Amino acid sequence: GAVVSQHPSWVICKSGTSVKIECRSLDFQATTMFWYRQFPKQSLMLMATSNEGSKATYEQGVEKDKFLINHASLTLSTLTVTSAHPEDSSFYICSARDVGSGSHRNEQFFGPGTRLTVL
Amino acid sequence: DQQVKQNSPSLSVQEGRISILNCDYTNSMFDYFLWYKKYPAEGPTFLISISSIKDKNEDGRFTVFLNKSAKHLSLHIVPSQPGDSAVYFCAASADGGTSYGKLTFGQGTILTVHP
């Protein structure tokens, strides 16, 4: 099946620093990747849609200058949390659509997530 | 505005019995529905999906039923196994436009299957 990896799996950083999270589709090409965040005991909230070779589309309320997304290749998207603060602490999950498999366009395969803790 | 709702935060079932997880939605533009299973500190794993043109889709022990008029879907797991214990998320998407491919998730239901 389609595999999506994330790196790092967890990170602790000081307030004010920037953190980069990578999302890779390992065995398929993903023209579109999505970034979600999940707070404890809550649902996954879509932050932005990342399209290869173009600017990301951000959901309402998500600061694009704070959460920088780059989708430079068909297998890699990165999310950079700039000037992180304690309220940015969360579980960040990416997903990718395997457009080549013949599966429905809306089936997304998720990475294992990255736990960010900002001190 | 919660467009996809899973009103039962938890469900406990005996091994071998049927597990029924429910999901309601409000957006009539949703045309595709998915169920995901998630373990703590891991990403969701795709289970099964259904298009709005169908009312049932079956895959092994998992069956999803869709009632469009009621804007309701359910996931049936038969027979339930202890390894099914996880959080189950219902998700929905709408066709075309800016929402193409975007998923809206419910809050999740914690399923516990007792041996």
Side-chain angles (χ1 to χ4, degrees):
Chain A
V3 179
V4 175
S5 70
Q6 273 184 249
H7 178 80
S9 56
W10 61 270
V11 56
I12 301 174
C13 69
K14 292 182 179 180
S15 184
T17 60
S18 294
V19 175
K20 179 185 284 188
I21 303 170
E22 292 185 349
C23 177
R24 294 181 184 273
S25 55
L26 297 185
D27 50 2
F28 66 98
Q29 293 185 330
T31 55
T32 303
M33 291 184 172
F34 301 88
W35 285 96
Y36 296 82
R37 66 188 296 182
Q38 184 187 26
F39 292 105
K41 298 185 179 180
Q42 293 188 26
S43 182
L44 284 78
M45 298 300 295
L46 179 66
M47 297 175 65
T49 302
S50 169
N51 296 300
E52 188 265 338
S54 64
K55 291 183 179 180
T57 304
Y58 290 82
E59 294 300 300
Q60 191 174 12
V62 178
E63 299 174 59
K64 63 179 182 180
D65 294 330
K66 180 169 186 59
F67 298 99
L68 301 178
I69 292 174
N70 184 288
H71 194 157
S73 77
L74 287 172
T75 59
L76 173 64
S77 176
T78 60
L79 168 69
T80 301
V81 183
T82 62
S83 187
H85 291 285
E87 57 265 30
D88 299 323
S89 298
S90 187
F91 192 58
Y92 292 86
I93 306 174
C94 72
S95 71
R97 288 194 298 133
D98 182 2
V99 296
S101 72
S103 60
H104 192 279
R105 59 178 169 78
N106 282 331
E107 283 180 13
Q108 295 179 23
F109 299 93
F110 286 79
T114 297
R115 171 71 60 191
L116 170 64
T117 302
V118 184
L119 302 177
Chain B
D1 176 33
Q2 190 74 28
Q3 297 186 60
V4 178
K5 298 180 182 180
Q6 293 175 255
N7 292 316
S8 298
S10 63
L11 174 67
S12 183
V13 172
Q14 200 73 26
E15 181 179 8
R17 301 288 185 114
I18 184 172
S19 294
I20 300 176
L21 298 112
N22 294 302
C23 179
D24 297 293
Y25 61 96
T26 58
N27 188 341
S28 58
M29 296 300 292
F30 287 145
D31 66 346
Y32 198 73
F33 304 89
L34 309 90
W35 284 94
Y36 285 87
K37 176 181 178 180
K38 184 181 182 299
Y39 294 111
E42 293 185 12
T45 302
F46 171 74
L47 275 178
I48 192 169
S49 61
I50 188 168
S51 166
S52 60
I53 62 174
K54 295 184 176 181
D55 55 18
K56 177 182 176 182
N57 188 26
E58 192 172 353
D59 183 2
R61 297 186 297 115
F62 302 93
T63 303
V64 55
F65 295 92
L66 175 63
N67 183 334
K68 283 182 61 179
S69 60
K71 293 190 175 67
H72 176 84
L73 64 155
S74 60
L75 174 68
H76 292 212
I77 306 174
V78 182
S80 301
Q81 300 173 353
D84 296 329
S85 299
V87 180
Y88 288 78
F89 287 98
C90 167
S93 71
D95 194 10
T98 59
S99 61
Y100 187 81
K102 167 182 159 182
L103 294 180
T104 301
F105 282 84
Q107 309 95 310
T109 297
I110 301 171
L111 173 65
T112 303
V113 181
H114 298 284

